[in-house]
Amino acid sequence: MENVKTFKTLSNEYRLKILTLLKEPKKHFYNETKVDEVETGVCVGEIQKLLNLTQSTTSHYLSMLEKDNLLIATRIGKWTYYRRNEEMISDFKNFILEEL
């Protein structure tokens, strides 16, 4: 069941915080690039700085969220940007409201 996997992914405080921060990227991140953080996403380095985690740990958490379809990754050059997958988050929210 995919929803069980999503609950497991969200059971980590940092992964949950990433989703919370990316809900309002302009409020939480200083955009050092010309990339639109709402449309394209936020660079891994900016997320890492805010969480105060190593680059490898941050990348691992982002990868987990992406594999669970909670985030969408966009590669531009050598940088990867992440934004929330609002459709998946909405589906998960509806599952909680209707099934639990």
Side-chain angles (χ1 to χ4, degrees):
M1 176 183 246
E2 288 298 312
N3 290 316
V4 171
K5 186 174 181 247
T6 302
F7 279 115
K8 287 179 181 180
T9 300
L10 295 176
S11 69
N12 175 283
E13 67 179 294
Y14 288 104
R15 292 189 295 262
L16 191 58
K17 181 144 181 106
I18 289 168
L19 283 179
T20 303
L21 294 169
L22 290 176
K23 186 174 183 178
E24 298 179 280
K26 289 184 184 275
K27 178 179 176 183
H28 299 289
F29 297 97
Y30 173 74
N31 187 1
E32 297 177 2
T33 66
K34 294 179 182 177
V35 173
D36 184 326
E37 60 267 280
V38 174
E39 290 295 317
T40 305
V42 177
C43 181
V44 174
E46 290 189 45
I47 297 168
Q48 175 200 350
K49 284 182 211 171
L50 198 58
L51 296 177
N52 198 29
L53 296 172
T54 65
Q55 190 275 331
S56 61
T57 299
T58 303
S59 292
H60 177 68
Y61 288 163
L62 290 166
S63 176
M64 291 178 73
L65 289 162
E66 181 189 12
K67 284 180 185 172
D68 207 26
N69 292 319
L70 294 167
L71 292 181
I72 297 169
T74 302
R75 185 103 174 145
I76 300 176
K78 63 179 181 173
W79 308 107
T80 304
Y81 298 83
Y82 288 90
R83 64 184 167 88
R84 289 166 41 118
N85 183 345
E86 296 298 342
E87 183 179 339
M88 176 61 181
I89 292 169
S90 179
D91 289 348
F92 184 65
K93 193 183 322 182
N94 288 336
F95 164 77
I96 292 171
L97 291 172
E98 295 170 9
E99 301 295 326
L100 291 182

